[in-house]
Amino acid sequence: QVQLVESGGGSVQAGGSLRLSCAASGDTFSSLPMGWFRQAPGKEREFVAAITSGSRTTRYKDSVKGRFTISRDNAKNTVYLEMSSLKPEDTAVYYCNGVSSWSKPLFGSWGQGTQVTVSS
């Protein structure tokens, strides 16, 4: 199973930007569609963005379209989430995982996540 380590979170003001990274171990990363998920306090974890193994296709949660960009570097076993025009409602712990059916997590276990806090 792939091990995942997220980083890059922080505290920003509304309108700011952050770039999240997810480093994956293992030999199967380049063949897996990958995604980002987030969990806000008191809420269930939700899908944010996904990208196919070859980066040909991406998909986003409606509320982040036009503001977030997912990308990956298979040579570095890393997937990224570039976030701009951040809003307070984007505040959450962000996680990466493999994806199935475009928006469902593939692996049952999760990394530690990275906290994103957006203040108004």
Side-chain angles (χ1 to χ4, degrees), residues 50-70:
I51 186 168
T52 51
S53 58
S55 301
R56 184 167 186 170
T57 307
T58 57
R59 184 171 181 175
Y60 298 92
K61 175 181 173 63
D62 284 347
S63 63
V64 308
K65 285 180 181 177
R67 300 189 298 120
F68 290 13
T69 302
I70 188 171

Side-chain angles (χ1 to χ4, degrees), residues 1 4 7 9-10 24 26 28-29 43 46 48 70 77 80-81 84 93 96 98 111 113 115-116 118 120:
Q1 182 163 319
L4 304 164
S7 63
T28 60
F29 174 83
K43 296 187 177 181
E46 64 178 3
V48 175
I70 188 171
N77 271 22
Y80 304 98
L81 187 67
S84 62
V93 179
C96 66
Q115 176 71 50
V116 172
V118 185
S120 58

Side-chain angles (χ1 to χ4, degrees), residues 10 17-18 21-22 28 30 35 40 43 50 52 57 67 71 74-75 77 86 89 91 97 102-103 106 112 118:
S17 300
L18 284 172
S21 299
C22 171
T28 60
S30 62
K43 296 187 177 181
T52 51
T57 307
R67 300 189 298 120
S71 62
N74 286 342
N77 271 22
L86 282 161
E89 50 264 43
T91 295
N97 202 318
W102 270 113
S103 62
L106 182 62
Q112 84 288 348
V118 185

Side-chain angles (χ1 to χ4, degrees), residues 12 50 70 117:
V12 297
I70 188 171
T117 303

